[in-house]
Amino acid sequence: MALPLSRRLNPPDHFSAEARGALFMTLGMGAFALEDLAVKQASTDIPVGQAVVIYGLVGTLCFALFARFKGERALHPAIFSKVMMLRSVCEIGGRLFYALALALTPLSNASAILQAAPAIVALGAILFFSEQVTARKWLSILAGFIGVLLILRPGLEGFRASAIFAVLGTIGFAGRDLATRAAPVSMSTAQIGVLGFAMLTLAGAVLLIFSGGTAPPEALTWSFLAAATLFGMLGYCGLTLAMRTGRIASVSPFRYSRLLFALVLGVLILGERPDAISLLGSAIIVASGVIVLRERR
């Protein structure tokens, strides 16, 4: 039986939330890919810990000013609640351990492990938020992960003991996102951004202690750091809005789009040329996200 005209012109609210959440997540992942590129370029001139501290401090200040512009307190009282303190610990752990993984293991291996985050987040949605995750949704998450592996194709010899840092970093990021979902509604995106970038600064300081020493950034490096701050803030806003809009298990698969953006940036800026298998993996990743939205429709 055909739906009434009003139902066809105005889709249900829950589908609109899923679509908005997917859009926020996709835009956020695109911004994070640009942030990664900017940090990578900046770290060729200064230690990565120094780069993280600089754009972490600038991002904290920008989010604080944005909160004040909206008439909000920069530091929400809820930052000392159990949920937000847990989120801060997860933020620091995720940033710190993943940075160590990038330093000690091959990039492809660390990136492949990080793509397990959507499945971990979906599991957390079941355990802590009583969300129902269907078999089709699990299959779409698995399909996205397979697509990632087709792009990265990590060698078995690369998975050594130090890869545990990537596992811990992935768990940290998943915990941060789940805690974001549980953040008080009264806590705005700007206030969450202040807290998140402050924790990013602390993680960078720890890295700087172990890396030892700083270097004066060149003029071009400052431009990369400014770009990292801008795209990092946009990515953080997109991620936060996504985790607070749609169902967790529905928006999480769109995390895989980060690799698609990285693939495009590699071609356009770094001159990389993906092979047929990488393009097949990209198509599978896109299809996994489409399946999720079609199920919600």
Side-chain angles (χ1 to χ4, degrees):
M1 183 176 66
L3 290 174
L5 179 61
S6 60
R7 290 289 303 277
R8 283 181 285 167
L9 295 179
N10 299 288
D13 291 340
H14 67 270
F15 174 72
S16 298
E18 305 305 323
R20 291 196 306 272
L23 177 61
F24 288 142
M25 181 65 79
T26 303
L27 293 177
M29 293 302 104
F32 278 138
L34 290 168
E35 176 198 18
D36 291 342
L37 178 62
V39 172
K40 182 178 179 63
Q41 297 293 83
S43 61
T44 60
D45 180 45
I46 59 177
V48 63
Q50 181 182 355
V52 171
V53 167
I54 291 175
Y55 85 85
L57 286 173
V58 176
T60 302
L61 177 61
C62 290
F63 268 124
L65 292 175
F66 183 49
R68 293 301 300 166
F69 176 78
K70 295 171 59 181
E72 303 168 347
R73 300 173 58 176
L75 296 177
H76 193 282
I79 64 173
F80 298 109
S81 65
K82 291 182 180 180
V83 170
M84 298 311 296
M85 291 183 69
L86 176 62
R87 185 187 186 282
S88 297
V89 171
C90 290
E91 179 88 60
I92 294 175
R95 297 278 190 173
L96 178 60
F97 285 120
Y98 188 63
L100 289 173
L102 292 177
L104 299 176
T105 64
L107 175 62
S108 60
N109 292 355
S111 299
I113 295 173
L114 183 62
Q115 302 313 309
I120 297 176
V121 171
L123 179 60
I126 298 173
L127 297 177
F128 302 113
F129 297 99
S130 300
E131 285 196 6
Q132 299 297 318
V133 181
T134 64
R136 175 184 286 188
K137 196 166 295 179
W138 276 115
L139 287 175
S140 71
I141 294 174
L142 177 61
F145 184 67
I146 292 174
V148 169
L149 293 180
L150 286 175
I151 294 175
L152 298 175
R153 297 191 293 279
L156 293 178
E157 69 281 358
F159 285 95
R160 45 185 180 266
S162 56
I164 189 63
F165 290 129
V167 175
L168 294 174
T170 300
I171 294 174
F173 288 140
R176 175 199 64 185
D177 295 347
L178 288 169
T180 299
R181 180 73 170 200
V185 178
S186 61
M187 196 171 186
S188 69
T189 300
Q191 291 170 326
I192 293 179
V194 171
L195 179 61
F197 269 75
M199 296 304 103
L200 170 63
T201 305
L202 290 178
V206 174
L207 287 173
L208 194 56
I209 292 174
F210 286 100
S211 64
T214 60
E218 297 180 354
L220 183 60
T221 303
W222 282 113
S223 66
F224 286 133
L225 292 173
T229 302
L230 173 62
F231 292 120
M233 292 179 63
L234 292 175
Y236 215 85
C237 288
L239 176 64
T240 301
L241 290 171
M243 295 306 297
R244 304 179 85 177
T245 303
R247 289 169 59 88
I248 297 175
S250 296
V251 301
S252 290
F254 288 88
R255 284 176 169 277
Y256 294 125
S257 62
R258 185 169 184 166
L259 277 180
L260 297 181
F261 287 113
L263 192 67
V264 173
L265 291 174
V267 170
L268 297 180
I269 297 179
L270 302 179
E272 299 175 351
R273 291 294 179 267
D275 54 22
I277 296 180
S278 296
L279 295 176
L280 174 62
S282 302
I284 293 175
I285 292 170
V286 173
S288 69
V290 173
I291 290 173
V292 172
L293 279 187
R294 287 184 64 84
E295 179 181 7
R296 291 305 301 170
R297 186 187 294 271

